[in-house]
Amino acid sequence: MFELDVATRHIRSRRRQTVFSIIAVSLAVAIIIIMMSMMSGMLSLMMESTIENQPHITVFPKENEDYIHLYHGLEKNILDREDVEAISSYFQGEAALQYKHSAEGVLLYGINPDDENRVVNREKDMLAGEFASLANPGSRIILGFKLANNLDVGIGDTVTAQIPGAEPTDFTITGIFQTGTPVDETIAFTNLERLQDFYGSGDVVTGLGVRLSDVYAADTIASRIDMETGYDAVSWIEQNSDILSLLKSSEGLVYLIYIIIFTISGFGIANILIMIVMEKVGEIGMLMAMGASRRSIMLIFLLEAGILGLTGVMIGWILGYVAALAIAAITIPIPPEMYFGMDHLPVEIELKNFITAGIFAMVINTLAGVFPARRASRMDPVEAIYSV
Amino acid sequence: MSDTYIIQIKDLTKIFGNGVEIRALDGVNLNIERGEFLAIVGPSGSGKSTLLNQIGILDTPTSGTILLDGVDVTKMSDKQRSITRNRQLGFIFQYHHLLPDFNALENAMMPLLISGVKSSRAREVASLMLHEVGLGDRMEHRPNQLSGGQNQRVAIARALVNNPSIVIGDEPTGNLDTKSSESIYELLRKLNREHKQTFILVTHDERMAAKTDRIIRLVDGRIAANSHNSV
């Protein structure tokens, strides 16, 4: 195939420009791989944190009702469904917690710790004490790390819970948790029965948390529960729809940036090819006189674009991989309670990002080669030969 | 008759129109015999190169027909023209137009590679051809390492490597000194006799023209004289 021969010789004869255009492509590919890896990392961190730190489906009382009364039956109904792994009923109420002269408004969650741990692994978030200590229906409480800081309390201290129309009740702190999210400042857990007593509500709950084996089935299962039981079942996807749609729209913006970066590198390739075409006019004419078809002439320059692009992509892959590894190794000096408790930049190196960046680059580089290649193939052989 | 004539040109007219109409060729009729060694002469702008480009099917006429080996090339598609150029025609221009990034051997191989001949076979044939033009010891040299005369010899080897029936030369010695010109002329003449190919040369050099079989003199796009030489 003489076209490949001619193409490689052209590229080799312009060593400096070749090197620069390859650098441009590889930098573009590397930058995009890094961006994609960080996006993937951030996305899966957010997803994981969302999926792991909240029930996949939350069932709320029927419209115009404050409580779910016969919740044991509802628990059984939901547990019997396919894909449902665990269920945890809870009673939620607002209260003020007081310690000495400090007071904070909190959301009190009454739960059964075994059930709750099966739906959301609270035990892994424990900084001190054990979540299971709430199994005892005594007056025990577990606070978020920031809430404990704000009240200036620690394990063993006793805080007083107050609500309008009820006697203030003392709770002993048996644990402190940290999730790295805002709930660390606003939530406290206690035993379900104890909280029902405190609010004088009787054996009712305000909601049920459900864990699924397939998180992406949450919407379907939630709407089925909703339809069949009449209770208001909301999936994690619906609860986080704002964040998810924000992520989606930001993805579009990121792709726009990818296109811009690749287009810039594509111009580098177009530039060197236009220069070669201009320089080789007589040669192109002579190739035509020797019987090279217009298709062959076009192929020569498309091959040149392809060779430059492919070399750039491969170097870019290596650069991107090394850079992503290096970035993942950097420790960020920020307090761990911020940003989902991360102390590293969330980098996820995925094969699909390399493939996407590679295909993206090759498409744009080939397009960059089309204009010079067409120009060369449409030359009038007589004009080309006598132009020298 | 087409057995005798490898080229038959009938009423060939080429008009270049760019605002002002220029008749570069004006009703040219010409038959060329197989194996002829022919010179086209004439003043600048008389249409010599235009006629040569028509015969070489590098350009299309405004009207008229050109039969190469009995086939009307003016009606060919772009692809057929490329194939015909590759198989039946060899070109030598005033400027050698060698590919600067390839050595002499690779340059001479190019028409064979274009026609799809295997690289090893092309190398063999091109090497023989370079020996024939006297460059057997310069095959690995690139154009910038060879003299003007040597480059023109490579161009000749390249023009003949596909064993074309017609070789076209547009001022093939125009860029060379007298001594090199003469040796190139002698080489072309020798190849013409040995290979029995038809050679059509455009030249300004009346001395060289006088040594060919026939001189076609063009003036204002018309054949003003058509005379056989007694060589």
Side-chain angles (χ1 to χ4, degrees):
Chain A
M1 191 173 149
F2 77 97
E3 291 93 343
L4 184 63
D5 245 2
V6 176
T8 49
R9 297 293 172 100
H10 280 177
I11 288 172
R12 272 196 257 159
S13 72
R14 293 195 145 269
R15 208 158 287 174
R16 196 177 306 165
Q17 283 96 333
T18 299
V19 168
F20 279 118
S21 61
I22 288 175
I23 289 175
V25 177
S26 22
L27 282 181
V29 171
I31 288 168
I32 280 154
I33 285 176
I34 295 165
M35 284 173 70
M36 283 179 158
S37 303
M38 290 180 70
M39 279 280 289
S40 295
M42 197 66 190
L43 206 68
S44 53
L45 185 79
M46 286 174 79
M47 290 291 261
E48 199 184 305
S49 142
T50 308
I51 292 165
E52 287 308 313
N53 289 321
Q54 73 177 94
H56 300 156
I57 295 174
T58 308
V59 184
F60 295 104
K62 290 178 180 168
E63 221 179 324
N64 301 325
E65 290 184 8
D66 292 332
Y67 304 114
I68 300 173
H69 291 275
L70 300 166
Y71 67 94
H72 295 293
L74 185 60
E75 275 178 353
K76 192 175 173 323
N77 174 315
I78 293 171
L79 255 178
D80 284 346
R81 286 165 198 265
E82 206 181 328
D83 284 333
V84 173
E85 278 189 339
I87 195 156
S88 168
S89 303
Y90 64 87
F91 189 98
Q92 177 205 319
E94 288 176 13
L97 286 188
Q98 193 189 349
Y99 180 73
K100 291 184 181 164
H101 301 296
S102 310
E104 292 284 333
V106 296
L107 274 179
L108 282 175
Y109 274 87
I111 44 84
N112 177 334
D114 290 343
D115 292 347
E116 180 67 12
N117 263 331
R118 276 195 286 273
V119 172
V120 177
N121 186 355
R122 303 284 180 201
E123 205 69 66
K124 75 166 173 23
D125 294 331
M126 295 304 290
L127 264 190
E130 282 178 11
F131 196 73
S133 62
L134 297 180
N136 186 321
S139 299
R140 298 176 172 193
I141 196 166
I142 289 175
L143 305 183
F145 161 80
K146 276 199 174 167
L147 180 60
N149 264 5
N150 293 347
L151 288 170
D152 198 16
V153 291
I155 288 191
D157 289 336
T158 301
V159 289
T160 311
Q162 300 183 47
I163 50 168
E167 280 291 303
T169 307
D170 287 347
F171 287 89
T172 307
I173 298 168
T174 57
I176 289 171
F177 68 88
Q178 182 185 49
T179 61
T181 64
V183 304
D184 292 351
E185 199 167 3
T186 53
I187 281 182
F189 290 100
T190 181
N191 179 277
L192 174 62
E193 279 176 47
R194 183 70 197 84
L195 205 63
Q196 286 167 338
D197 275 355
F198 177 57
Y199 280 92
S201 64
D203 191 14
V204 296
V205 293
T206 58
L208 277 78
V210 180
R211 185 179 182 88
L212 304 176
S213 53
D214 175 10
V215 292
Y216 295 101
D219 266 342
T220 326
I221 297 172
S223 62
R224 224 176 277 155
I225 294 172
D226 208 300
M227 297 239 298
E228 290 167 17
T229 66
Y231 289 97
D232 182 19
V234 180
S235 73
W236 67 273
I237 299 167
E238 199 181 333
Q239 274 184 316
N240 295 284
S241 59
D242 288 352
I243 291 179
L244 292 174
S245 70
L246 189 74
L247 284 176
K248 273 242 150 57
S249 61
S250 71
E251 215 170 35
L253 189 73
V254 168
Y255 268 93
L256 191 70
I257 295 171
Y258 294 165
I259 291 173
I260 292 169
I261 293 175
F262 275 133
T263 306
I264 293 168
S265 78
F267 273 115
I269 287 194
N271 182 47
I272 180 178
L273 288 182
I274 290 169
M275 276 201 296
I276 292 177
V277 169
M278 278 174 18
E279 196 181 83
K280 307 279 184 188
V281 170
E283 199 177 294
I284 293 164
M286 193 61 221
L287 282 167
M288 285 176 166
M290 284 190 274
S293 63
R294 293 188 187 279
R295 208 186 125 265
S296 289
I297 302 291
M298 178 122 184
L299 187 60
I300 288 171
F301 290 95
L302 286 180
L303 279 171
E304 287 177 31
I307 293 166
L308 292 173
L310 196 64
T311 316
V313 165
M314 289 195 288
I315 296 173
W317 276 343
I318 298 167
L319 276 180
Y321 182 71
V322 172
L325 282 183
I327 289 170
I330 297 170
T331 311
I332 331 167
I334 50 173
E337 68 269 20
M338 291 169 73
Y339 303 113
F340 310 102
M342 69 193 194
D343 56 357
H344 286 82
L345 283 170
V347 175
E348 201 164 285
I349 297 171
E350 286 184 306
L351 183 65
K352 76 170 202 285
N353 289 341
F354 285 73
I355 293 171
T356 311
I359 291 174
F360 226 135
M362 285 313 290
V363 167
I364 290 185
N365 293 336
T366 309
L367 285 179
V370 168
F371 169 69
R374 277 168 70 105
R375 194 173 144 164
S377 73
R378 287 180 175 190
M379 276 184 192
D380 174 359
V382 174
E383 275 177 31
I385 289 165
Y386 291 98
S387 70
V388 181
Chain B
M1 286 304 271
S2 62
D3 268 2
T4 328
Y5 296 127
I6 189 161
I7 300 166
Q8 292 168 284
I9 298 170
K10 282 180 201 147
D11 289 328
L12 193 70
T13 299
K14 177 71 183 182
I15 300 170
F16 291 108
N18 207 353
V20 187
E21 200 174 86
I22 299 166
R23 276 180 181 267
L25 294 175
D26 192 2
V28 171
N29 287 290
L30 178 65
N31 290 333
I32 299 171
E33 284 179 29
R34 211 173 285 277
E36 239 188 304
F37 195 76
L38 177 139
I40 301 174
V41 296
S44 288
S46 59
K48 305 185 297 287
S49 293
T50 308
L51 178 58
L52 210 61
N53 291 333
Q54 299 291 336
I55 298 171
I57 36 177
L58 288 167
D59 201 0
T60 47
T62 309
S63 66
T65 56
I66 304 168
L67 305 185
L68 288 192
D69 250 344
V71 182
D72 187 355
V73 296
T74 58
K75 296 201 166 60
M76 282 181 170
S77 70
D78 212 52
K79 195 176 172 191
Q80 285 173 314
R81 292 151 67 89
S82 293
I83 294 170
T84 309
R85 280 201 296 267
N86 180 252
R87 306 231 169 112
Q88 281 186 263
L89 293 154
F91 294 87
I92 309 158
F93 294 97
Q94 182 173 358
Y95 180 71
H96 55 74
H97 283 303
L98 296 177
L99 310 185
D101 309 314
F102 290 80
N103 65 28
L105 180 62
E106 292 164 334
N107 264 293
M109 286 163 68
M110 199 49 76
L112 291 166
L113 297 179
I114 290 173
S115 66
V117 171
K118 271 191 176 172
S119 178
S120 53
R121 173 76 189 140
R123 195 169 287 275
E124 234 171 78
V125 178
S127 158
L128 280 175
M129 206 62 235
L130 281 172
H131 277 98
E132 207 169 336
V133 299
L135 282 177
D137 56 344
R138 295 278 192 279
M139 293 201 289
E140 303 297 323
H141 289 57
R142 291 216 176 170
N144 62 0
Q145 297 166 318
L146 296 170
S147 71
Q150 287 170 330
N151 276 328
Q152 205 57 316
R153 282 168 188 267
V154 180
I156 292 168
R158 179 178 64 182
L160 273 80
V161 79
N162 249 3
N163 199 22
S165 44
I166 303 160
V167 179
I168 283 170
D170 193 357
E171 305 267 9
T173 60
N175 256 352
L176 304 176
D177 56 53
T178 317
K179 201 177 155 209
S180 305
S181 290
E182 268 177 21
S183 81
I184 291 288
Y185 169 79
E186 292 304 331
L187 174 65
L188 292 173
R189 190 69 196 182
K190 179 182 97 120
L191 293 167
N192 163 251
R193 287 195 178 118
E194 285 171 4
H195 293 263
K196 308 266 185 285
Q197 289 153 321
T198 309
F199 277 66
I200 306 165
L201 308 177
V202 158
T203 180
H204 266 114
D205 187 341
E206 293 284 348
R207 284 191 318 127
M208 190 170 141
K211 290 195 241 174
T212 60
D213 299 338
R214 182 155 60 127
I215 300 176
I216 307 291
R217 194 169 298 276
L218 279 182
V219 176
D220 292 336
R222 291 184 189 163
I223 296 180
N226 184 346
S227 55
H228 285 267
N229 288 323
S230 43
V231 185

